[in-house]
Amino acid sequence: MNIVLWIVQALLVIVFFMAGIMKLTQPREKMVEKMPWVSDFSAGQIRLIGIFEIAGALGLAFLALTGILPWLTALVAFGLALLMVGAAFTHLRRKEYTSIIMNVILMLAAVFVAFAWFSAIPA
C-alpha cells in the first residue's frame, strides 16, 4: 500500500506542477487554443489556479518527504481534490464532457492520497 501511495502521490505532483507552470508561463490566448475553458476566466484567475496547482504539488511532495506535519499532506491532497471538483463543474457547465474524465481521475487519486495520509496519522 505504501508503494502505491507514493506512486500515486508522485504522479499527482508531476501533473499538478506541470499544469501550474503552464498556467503561469503561457499567455492566455495561447492556452485558449488547447483549453477552451480558459476563455471563461481572466488572466489573473488562470494564474491563481496555476499558483494553487503548484502550491499543491509542492505541498504533496515536500510535506510528505520531510515528515513535517503529515496531516497537512492530507489536507493538501483534499484541496487538490476540491480544485478538480471545481474544474469538473466548469467543464460540465461548458458541456465539455470528455474533459471531466481527467478531472474525476485526478480527484479520485487526490482523495486516495488524502485518506491514506489521514489513516496513517496516529490518533
Side-chain angles (χ1 to χ4, degrees):
M1 173 70 168
N2 200 17
I3 293 173
V4 173
L5 170 63
W6 282 101
I7 290 171
V8 171
Q9 195 164 332
L11 290 173
L12 285 174
V13 168
I14 292 167
V15 168
F16 281 107
F17 190 79
M18 289 175 51
I21 290 293
M22 181 192 60
K23 288 177 183 81
L24 287 179
T25 60
Q26 298 292 319
R28 183 177 174 268
E29 296 73 30
K30 185 174 181 183
M31 286 188 282
V32 169
E33 297 169 9
K34 294 182 181 177
M35 301 179 299
W37 64 267
V38 169
S39 62
D40 288 357
F41 295 89
S42 70
Q45 290 170 320
I46 295 165
R47 302 278 185 257
L48 186 61
I49 293 168
I51 290 169
F52 287 153
E53 289 174 338
I54 291 172
L58 294 176
L60 279 183
F62 294 119
L63 291 171
L65 288 174
T66 61
I68 298 171
L69 302 173
W71 58 272
L72 277 179
T73 304
L75 289 181
V76 168
F78 186 68
L80 289 173
L82 289 177
L83 189 65
M84 289 298 97
V85 169
F89 276 115
T90 296
H91 291 301
L92 184 65
R93 180 177 45 81
R94 293 179 48 85
K95 296 179 176 49
E96 298 169 346
Y97 302 116
T98 55
S99 297
I100 296 172
I101 296 168
M102 183 56 76
N103 299 138
V104 170
I105 291 170
L106 291 172
M107 181 203 59
L108 291 174
V111 167
F112 166 75
V113 170
F115 279 112
W117 277 100
F118 272 131
S119 66
I121 299 169

